[in-house]
Amino acid sequence: MPVQVTIRHVPEAVRDALAVRAARERKSMQEFLVGELERIAARPSAADWVAQARADKTYSAVTLSTDEILGHRDADRR
């Protein structure tokens, strides 16, 4: 069941920018904001993404020295 969310103290410039974006997509402000909130909620947060990447054991950490890194970089330049 949908719920109502109220956001207070939104700067007028922000509201105006969002209204322009909604109008470009030919949507009401409510339709536009619901879509944006759904898009944000579908993506993991940065902290969740980092935690998931750290937990992923598919890739092992590769340790290279500075000399090895520069050597690989310079090999393409020769």
Side-chain angles (χ1 to χ4, degrees), residues 55-67:
D56 186 359
K57 301 299 182 191
T58 304
Y59 304 100
S60 61
V62 176
T63 305
L64 296 173
S65 70
T66 304
D67 290 335

Side-chain angles (χ1 to χ4, degrees), residues 1-21:
M1 172 181 237
V3 297
Q4 184 174 349
V5 175
T6 301
I7 302 174
R8 292 185 171 86
H9 309 294
V10 175
E12 195 170 323
V14 171
R15 192 218 67 88
D16 292 346
L18 292 171
V20 167
R21 291 182 188 187

Side-chain angles (χ1 to χ4, degrees), residues 13 20 22 31 33 37 60-61 65 69 72:
V20 167
E31 287 175 305
L33 291 175
L37 289 171
S60 61
S65 70
I69 293 170
H72 288 288

Side-chain angles (χ1 to χ4, degrees), residues 20-51:
V20 167
R21 291 182 188 187
R24 278 191 200 134
E25 294 185 23
R26 295 190 168 133
K27 294 180 179 179
S28 69
M29 179 76 89
Q30 179 174 330
E31 287 175 305
F32 177 77
L33 291 175
V34 167
E36 289 299 296
L37 289 171
E38 288 173 341
R39 185 181 60 79
I40 292 167
R43 292 180 13 202
S45 69
D48 289 341
W49 186 87
V50 168

